[in-house]
Amino acid sequence: MSKFDLSKAKFATLCVHGSGGVDPQTGAVSVPIYQSSTFAFKSAQQGAALFAGEEDGYFYTRLGNPTQAALEREMAVLEGGEAALCFSSGMGAISGIILALCRCGDNLVSTDTVYGGTHNLYKETLPLWNIRTKEVNATDLSKVEDAIDNNTRLIFIESPANPTLSLIDIEGCAQISRKHNIPLVIDNTFATPYLQRPIEMGAEIVIHSATKYIGGHGDTVAGIVVGKRDFITNLRAKILRDLGAVISPVNAWLLLRGLKTLPVRMDRHCTNALEVAKFLSLHPKINWVRYPGLSTHPQHQLAIRQMKKFGGMITFEVKGGRSAGEKLMNSVGLITLAVSLGDCDSLIEHPASMTHSTYSEEELKEVGISEGLIRLSVGLEDPYDIITDLKLALKKI
Ligand code: 4LM
């Protein structure tokens, strides 16, 4: 059999084959789930060498496992990074990166519109270690640069941001990070590497809540970090070893399975979302709609420049604000009223009282999360059915 040169393969091919292909020992086409916590040593001497880092190999699943490793190979390839490391959740990955880069007295500069859990980490938990976060409106890059001081250890951005779908100029931000010699970390959860490749635009570290589009089926909680090999080696040896937020082999396998269909799913999420966004924009009971693929999105041109397509997330406000929005959420039937996103199932939620309830009233106002803002994760159902569900729910308002 001739060998295909995967280094020249296109993205969709890498989603299917990027973890390394058929298992050489058994011929298994699907990566086996190595559901083992520990791995036998060939000898006492080999055990000592593995622990000393003098020999490569698996010996304990908190520090490495073949199923995790297959996922890490694949994610590194898909993001165009040198190496990757899985975590038990997106928050495990985010807190792990920050604790790897910051010491007591240090700070990070972050965009002010992030997932509510990330905001809470900044506001409540990191200050316990005297690590401070300067949250700025990073759609204005001068604010990022102005916030950097001698103790700033990283810049953190989310683009598109949860839930406002505002975008940050990744190339511009990477230039600032290089000038100040600090890494740019981007949460690429909303876009996935299929729609946006931040490392090619100069970002140094990419993180994902793999719970979302990477898994894609709403059945796994996980996180992934992609970056330079030295950084990832250190992250594994210090943060993962000592803090222990390790992914289970079964969850790693579910993500590998999800990745095989990532481009197919994302294409459908994007076309469905555009149709739903257009429908909502024309509906008389809707105040406004935000979707990066609509020309009415204030950063539509930036979206065209740095994204391949515009994703599956929409935000909007029903006329009548929060109470009208609540009526809508209570009236949908096909769409599920739940947090999380990126699943096959369409999901609807109210950020101000749910995913972003960690923001104070003033903070919500400051970042543009209005009281009436509704977030819709457009799933893979037939778009006609999603629109019909919304149409019927809107009639009840
Ligand atoms: C949600 N989000 O929005 P884990 N980064 C981004 C996210 O949206 C999330 C995380 C990290 C939601 C969860 C309930 C952009 C989570 C955190 O949940 O720890 O895998 O990811 O609905």
Side-chain angles (χ1 to χ4, degrees):
M1 214 192 304
S2 64
K3 195 128 174 74
F4 188 86
D5 182 4
L6 274 177
S7 69
K8 297 198 173 71
K10 302 267 192 273
F11 190 89
T13 309
L14 292 170
C15 284
V16 179
H17 297 281
S19 66
V22 171
D23 180 43
Q25 272 170 3
T26 61
V29 173
S30 165
V31 172
I33 304 171
Y34 288 90
Q35 191 68 15
S36 186
S37 53
T38 195
F39 296 83
F41 303 126
K42 292 191 181 81
S43 65
Q45 290 76 7
Q46 193 215 12
L50 285 164
F51 265 86
E54 292 157 11
E55 196 178 313
D56 281 341
Y58 301 108
F59 54 100
Y60 189 61
T61 282
R62 175 156 45 79
L63 297 165
N65 170 290
T67 316
Q68 294 164 3
L71 174 61
E72 286 160 358
R73 281 194 299 277
E74 176 136 347
M75 277 305 296
V77 168
L78 295 181
E79 283 288 3
E82 290 178 7
L85 186 63
C86 311
F87 281 84
S88 56
S89 69
M91 288 312 301
I94 293 169
S95 56
I97 291 170
I98 295 172
L99 292 176
L101 294 172
C102 294
R103 302 286 170 270
C104 175
D106 289 343
N107 67 68
L108 58 141
V109 172
S110 171
T111 175
D112 56 9
T113 317
V114 288
Y115 165 54
T118 309
H119 178 68
N120 201 58
L121 172 71
Y122 295 162
K123 200 164 74 163
E124 300 288 340
T125 306
L126 291 175
L128 301 175
W129 283 273
N130 196 20
I131 296 169
R132 304 282 155 183
T133 307
K134 301 185 195 179
E135 290 183 79
V136 298
N137 179 353
T139 60
D140 176 354
L141 289 180
S142 69
K143 295 204 167 126
V144 175
E145 181 140 35
D146 290 349
I148 295 171
D149 65 29
N150 288 339
N151 294 323
T152 305
R153 298 289 168 254
L154 67 132
I155 301 171
F156 189 100
I157 59 173
E158 245 184 50
S159 185
N162 184 358
T164 58
L165 303 175
S166 56
L167 307 182
I168 290 159
D169 177 345
I170 300 170
E171 262 178 7
C173 212
Q175 274 169 17
I176 294 171
S177 78
R178 271 197 303 275
K179 182 172 152 198
H180 293 272
N181 204 20
I182 48 177
L184 172 62
V185 181
I186 173 165
D187 185 331
N188 204 26
T189 299
F190 270 39
T192 82
Y194 179 58
L195 301 181
Q196 181 168 278
R197 306 246 302 166
I199 290 175
E200 283 171 4
M201 290 181 252
E204 203 161 300
I205 299 165
V206 176
I207 91 103
H208 285 273
S209 168
T211 314
K212 314 296 177 341
Y213 291 106
I214 301 297
H217 293 73
D219 50 19
T220 320
V221 173
I224 292 173
V225 180
V226 182
K228 296 248 163 66
R229 191 168 302 284
D230 285 353
F231 175 73
I232 295 292
T233 302
N234 186 52
L235 201 60
R236 184 191 300 281
K238 302 266 163 53
I239 299 294
L240 198 62
R241 187 191 63 187
D242 292 352
L243 302 187
V246 68
I247 195 172
S248 75
V250 172
N251 282 354
W253 183 86
L254 283 166
L255 299 182
L256 279 165
R257 186 171 68 167
L259 279 173
K260 286 191 193 259
T261 56
L262 180 71
V264 183
R265 287 187 286 108
M266 291 315 293
D267 281 342
R268 179 64 177 261
H269 280 299
C270 293
T271 54
N272 278 6
L274 184 61
E275 277 200 49
V276 173
K278 282 183 183 162
F279 159 74
L280 289 171
S281 313
L282 296 173
H283 198 285
K285 288 190 181 165
I286 299 294
N287 245 347
W288 54 261
V289 179
R290 233 184 186 208
Y291 179 64
L294 291 179
S295 59
T296 51
H297 188 291
Q299 295 160 299
H300 181 55
Q301 290 310 317
L302 178 58
I304 291 172
R305 207 167 78 219
Q306 67 184 20
M307 297 177 77
K308 182 183 165 81
K309 294 180 183 179
F310 308 109
M313 301 299 294
I314 298 175
T315 50
F316 61 95
E317 192 174 281
V318 184
K319 281 183 185 156
R322 178 167 175 178
S323 63
E326 281 176 348
K327 275 192 198 142
L328 173 83
M329 289 187 289
N330 290 335
S331 301
V332 287
L334 177 71
I335 300 167
T336 304
L337 174 54
V339 297
S340 204
L341 57 115
D343 295 359
C344 301
D345 306 49
S346 291
L347 305 173
I348 198 162
E349 67 113 11
H350 177 240
S353 66
M354 297 172 189
T355 50
H356 292 71
S357 55
T358 56
Y359 281 71
S360 68
E361 246 171 68
E362 299 78 64
E363 288 168 340
L364 287 170
K365 210 171 275 166
E366 182 75 27
V367 303
I369 304 174
S370 64
E371 181 73 3
L373 184 149
I374 303 290
R375 191 186 76 181
L376 177 63
S377 170
V378 181
L380 302 182
E381 302 93 342
D382 191 292
Y384 177 83
D385 291 330
I386 302 170
I387 289 170
T388 303
D389 196 33
L390 287 167
K391 215 185 265 178
L392 292 175
L394 283 163
K395 268 196 186 145
K396 293 190 184 143
I397 294 170

